[in-house]
Amino acid sequence: MINRSSRASGKFAVIYQSLYLANLLLLPGIFFFVLLYYFRQYQRHNLANGSVAQKNVNAKIRRRNLGIAKIHLIRSIQLSVLAGILLAVIPLAVILFTDQLQASIMVGLIYFVTLHAGFVLLGMFNLSRAMANKLPIF
């Protein structure tokens, strides 16, 4: 049997990567705002413990335990923004500013499906790395 530590960092990393996949597969946009909410909560937690951290050893330990989760959170937000730009903005711009509408729609659909599958596979790979308490691959 494999002994893994059930630290809070690993659990939050899995949650963040799961939210990234839910953003791609279930409800685009809504889960992105949930990720931004978690990022804002992390910033508030960091600012609140910034002045107390020198006096309180427990605050340093708590912040250190969020290390891997923080990286997974930032990477999932970065990938969500990149996916939003590459999957929504660029195909719409190509379709709107083209002379041959039918051909651009066909190419846009192939582009969207292929790139979407790539982002989902990347998210699944990062989720497996979060479950193994490893850093994400961007």
Side-chain angles (χ1 to χ4, degrees), residues 99-119:
D99 294 340
Q100 300 175 349
L101 186 63
Q102 291 84 12
S104 66
I105 289 175
M106 181 187 66
V107 171
L109 281 173
I110 293 171
Y111 169 81
F112 178 83
V113 169
T114 306
L115 207 60
H116 187 267
F119 277 119

Side-chain angles (χ1 to χ4, degrees), residues 56-126:
N56 191 355
V57 176
N58 289 334
K60 288 183 182 180
I61 292 172
R62 269 185 269 139
R63 209 172 328 137
R64 189 175 345 131
N65 284 341
L66 291 175
I68 291 177
K70 176 183 72 168
I71 294 170
H72 277 279
L73 174 64
I74 291 170
R75 290 293 182 231
S76 62
I77 290 174
Q78 288 174 344
L79 277 174
S80 293
V81 169
L82 185 65
I85 291 171
L86 291 178
L87 292 175
V89 175
I90 291 178
L92 285 177
V94 168
I95 289 172
L96 289 176
F97 297 116
T98 187
D99 294 340
Q100 300 175 349
L101 186 63
Q102 291 84 12
S104 66
I105 289 175
M106 181 187 66
V107 171
L109 281 173
I110 293 171
Y111 169 81
F112 178 83
V113 169
T114 306
L115 207 60
H116 187 267
F119 277 119
V120 169
L121 289 174
L122 186 60
M124 291 171 66
F125 184 67
N126 282 339

Side-chain angles (χ1 to χ4, degrees), residues 20-71:
Y20 166 73
L21 282 173
N23 181 35
L24 280 176
L25 297 172
L26 293 176
L27 294 172
I30 293 174
F31 286 109
F32 178 70
F33 288 119
V34 173
L35 278 171
L36 290 179
Y37 170 76
Y38 277 123
F39 183 70
R40 184 68 180 149
Q41 290 297 322
Y42 174 75
Q43 283 183 334
R44 286 184 185 165
H45 176 73
N46 227 8
L47 291 175
N49 289 333
S51 61
V52 182
Q54 296 171 350
K55 299 176 186 175
N56 191 355
V57 176
N58 289 334
K60 288 183 182 180
I61 292 172
R62 269 185 269 139
R63 209 172 328 137
R64 189 175 345 131
N65 284 341
L66 291 175
I68 291 177
K70 176 183 72 168
I71 294 170

